[in-house]
Amino acid sequence: MARILVIDDKASMRAMVERVLGEAHAVDTAADATDGLAKLANADYDLLVSDVRLPDLDGFAVLARAREMAPDTEVVLMTAYATVEAAVEAVKAGAYDYVAKPFEPDDLLLTVSRALERRSLRARARAAERALRHRDGLDEMLGEGAAMQKVRFLIERVCDLDVTVLVTGESGTGKEVVARAIHQAGARRERPFVAVNCGAIPENLIESELFGHTKGAFTGADQARTGLIEEAGEGTLFLDEIGDLPLELQVKLNRALQERCFRRVGEGRERPVRARIVAATHRDLRQAVDAGTFREDLFFRLNVYPIALPPLRARGEDLFLLARHFLGLAAARFGRPVTGFTPEALAALARYEWPGNVRELQHTMERAVILADGPQVGVDDLPDAVNSAAGGLPRAEGPLPPLAKMTYKDALDWGRDRTLKLYLDALLRRFEGNVSHAAKQAGIERESLHRLLRKADLDAAHYRA
Ligand SMILES: Nc1ncnc2c1ncn2[C@@H]1O[C@H](COP(=O)(O)OP(=O)(O)OP(=O)(O)O)[C@@H](O)[C@H]1O
Ligand SMILES: [Mg+2]
């Protein structure tokens, strides 16, 4: 069943079309172009059937507006002036088809069904194109576990939208990889990707770096310069280490993002901000807001769509996947025949906490490939820090100090919540998000499982392929 909007100023005509099409489809009607276009703007119609002669606008103008407002909606024009020229004009203007009044119900039905068929073909072609593009952008980002699946899901959902994204995560977790994936997978991929490290530019230069400056704007500005916002154009501006941006600049950036325009240093004229913004930080910005080092208004403006990257130690099996990947890359790069790990080396990798996350793993693998004598990386090829972690207790992920400050009872509660989460995550992974199967394995009712999932803040949908 398709959603169809009919615009015709004659009530009898509207009633007739509604009767003919209403059997198989959901039909809305409008008596003039103004009302019709308002309806079109507020709902997703598959098809617009419009009279050419309307009291306020002619049908070709409606067609042009519809193309802009709802490019996915097919259009069929109806007219009493069945001339060849009008038909040609309609097709040129992007209407799929044209019915000449008076028409038989079957003529209308046939034209409408052809238009709808074309719409569904186009929608499928577009979906296929989008899926390819998304895969392209996400290929660089490895990880099959639930945590990274969720990150990938979040990227796919947002990449085509003009929404500001805030990527957070410990150092080396892949924040820049995510920013690039959003750009690559999204509609702006052909436009520039411009990265700014807000923490690496001297404070007195950041403003002119971001916004540009005129000639003579300050001592040493002997030439005008475009800023990075302008260089990004309609592409993506990646504001890396946004937590390190000085307060004064936070105010200026917030204003630019709020008003979608900015001024070059030394210039009165306002220029538009067209770029999509992706920001990243390893800091806890909420804490920075509380501490007064980060502006709350800027935080809210950036925190529209947060993507939190999990630390490597919370990614389960992905650790080995990444380790093998980096081992392979390093072996090829250094021309060394290293292909795997000894079981002891694997155990050591698994026990270590990886404070430097993926980047640390990458460097560790490069070093190991250089040191390895045989085809396998052994414990001797790993840094002391990695090996000494292997000797002690298996380390719990997350905050040890808080645990040490808990009462016995709170510690048990904490452990139970974590165990529950680990357990549910494992179940959902095994059954790929199928709650019925997972509940059966767990030996509990589906409803109970749903309750536990809510408690553990897990969403079965994220585990489905
Ligand atoms: N999921 C992943 N798959 C493959 N490589 C990854 C992945 N995540 C990170 N990397 C690699 O790890 C390194 C660090 O990633 P990146 O620079 O994006 O991290 P970051 O979070 O920006 O780190 P920092 O906070 O230090 O700036 C890069 O070489 C990147 O290619
Ligand atoms: Mg980075």
Side-chain angles (χ1 to χ4, degrees):
M1 189 162 93
R3 288 198 68 178
I4 300 178
L5 176 64
V6 177
I7 312 180
D8 199 306
D9 53 328
K10 264 223 219 75
S12 59
M13 194 64 189
R14 288 199 300 274
M16 193 274 260
V17 175
E18 197 172 2
R19 185 158 27 76
V20 173
L21 298 179
E23 274 185 31
H25 305 290
V27 180
D28 283 341
T29 60
D32 56 39
T34 313
D35 182 32
L37 288 171
K39 286 198 160 109
L40 195 64
N42 285 309
D44 279 335
Y45 288 101
D46 299 300
L47 174 68
L48 168 65
V49 179
S50 175
D51 191 14
V52 170
R53 289 219 142 177
L54 293 168
D56 44 353
L57 263 184
D58 84 34
F60 293 107
V62 171
L63 176 58
R65 294 287 304 281
R67 278 274 156 271
E68 272 170 38
M69 277 167 28
D72 294 346
T73 303
E74 292 287 335
V75 181
V76 167
L77 293 181
M78 307 182 285
T79 179
Y81 303 85
T83 63
V84 175
E85 294 92 274
V88 168
E89 201 177 332
V91 172
K92 263 200 204 144
Y96 173 64
D97 225 334
Y98 168 94
V99 277
K101 290 185 197 171
F103 47 78
E104 296 295 319
D106 280 351
D107 291 340
L108 180 64
L109 278 173
L110 186 67
T111 309
V112 161
S113 75
R114 276 200 312 246
L116 289 174
E117 192 179 329
R118 187 170 98 131
R119 183 189 136 82
S120 98
L121 278 175
R122 277 207 317 195
R124 268 160 52 198
R126 249 195 324 272
E129 190 261 337
R130 202 158 43 221
L132 266 180
R133 184 150 54 75
H134 287 181
R135 212 170 54 223
D136 232 33
L138 293 168
D139 260 0
E140 308 276 296
M141 215 179 72
L142 302 181
E144 300 304 324
M148 289 310 285
Q149 303 268 23
K150 174 155 184 201
V151 169
R152 226 177 260 125
F153 169 85
L154 290 173
I155 294 174
E156 275 178 26
R157 276 301 163 95
V158 82
C159 65
D160 281 330
L161 307 175
D162 277 336
V163 170
T164 300
V165 177
L166 178 63
V167 189
T168 57
E170 292 178 10
S171 140
T173 44
K175 296 184 291 294
E176 182 151 358
V177 173
V178 169
R180 285 182 194 277
I182 291 172
H183 178 74
Q184 269 303 314
R188 296 172 181 254
R189 68 195 303 216
E190 308 286 351
R191 314 281 174 154
F193 177 90
V194 173
V196 201
N197 188 331
C198 302
I201 304 171
E203 195 163 336
N204 58 336
L205 291 183
I206 299 184
E207 184 175 3
S208 71
E209 279 285 319
L210 276 178
F211 301 120
H213 61 75
T214 54
K215 186 172 169 179
F218 47 86
T219 340
D222 39 357
Q223 268 185 11
R225 189 183 181 293
T226 48
L228 296 168
I229 292 186
E230 268 175 90
E231 271 175 34
E234 292 178 5
T236 304
L237 180 66
F238 176 43
L239 299 169
D240 202 1
E241 302 304 353
I242 188 79
D244 298 345
L245 194 67
L247 272 169
E248 190 198 333
L249 259 296
Q250 292 176 26
V251 177
K252 290 185 172 155
L253 178 65
N254 186 52
R255 197 181 310 129
L257 297 184
Q258 180 185 330
E259 280 154 25
R260 298 301 292 176
C261 62
F262 68 99
R263 295 196 182 102
R264 289 185 182 179
V265 179
E267 195 176 66
R269 181 178 147 205
E270 304 217 302
R271 295 163 186 268
V273 177
R274 297 207 180 84
R276 193 264 181 85
I277 309 293
V278 178
T281 178
H282 68 282
R283 292 185 195 284
D284 182 339
L285 286 188
R286 240 176 255 277
Q287 230 170 51
V289 168
D290 289 342
T293 55
F294 202 82
R295 301 265 315 189
E296 188 170 37
D297 48 8
L298 181 59
F299 171 66
F300 285 129
R301 194 166 302 289
L302 296 173
N303 197 38
V304 180
Y305 191 90
I307 297 184
L309 275 172
L312 182 58
R313 60 185 166 279
R315 293 191 205 176
E317 299 290 306
D318 281 349
L319 168 69
F320 301 118
L321 185 126
L322 287 165
R324 275 197 304 276
H325 169 70
F326 291 129
L327 185 82
L329 286 183
R333 179 162 150 219
F334 302 126
R336 310 223 1 129
V338 187
T339 54
F341 304 89
T342 64
E344 295 76 27
L346 279 178
L349 295 181
R351 291 238 177 94
Y352 183 53
E353 291 219 7
W354 300 105
N357 295 291
V358 184
R359 181 178 293 110
E360 186 184 10
L361 179 67
Q362 183 177 0
H363 293 160
T364 303
M365 292 302 105
E366 286 170 1
R367 179 179 179 276
V369 163
I370 295 169
L371 292 177
D373 273 332
Q376 289 192 323
V377 166
V379 283
D380 292 343
D381 309 322
L382 298 175
D384 289 345
V386 175
N387 279 319
S388 56
L393 273 170
R395 300 241 196 131
E397 158 215 333
L400 256 188
L403 186 59
K405 287 177 196 160
M406 285 180 196
T407 62
Y408 174 56
K409 180 179 170 301
D410 287 347
L412 288 187
D413 284 345
W414 181 86
R416 195 169 42 239
D417 288 348
R418 272 190 50 75
T419 308
L420 176 66
K421 192 155 184 165
L422 287 172
Y423 175 62
L424 295 174
D425 176 66
L427 271 186
L428 289 176
R429 274 162 59 188
R430 175 166 171 211
F431 296 107
E432 293 178 334
N434 185 322
V435 176
S436 306
H437 292 177
K440 200 161 166 203
Q441 165 68 50
I444 58 175
E445 296 292 327
R446 274 186 83 228
E447 273 322 299
S448 317
L449 182 56
H450 274 301
R451 209 167 337 103
L452 291 176
L453 288 173
R454 272 196 299 279
K455 187 173 170 212
D457 199 20
L458 289 174
D459 184 353
H462 291 169
Y463 293 79
R464 293 184 196 127

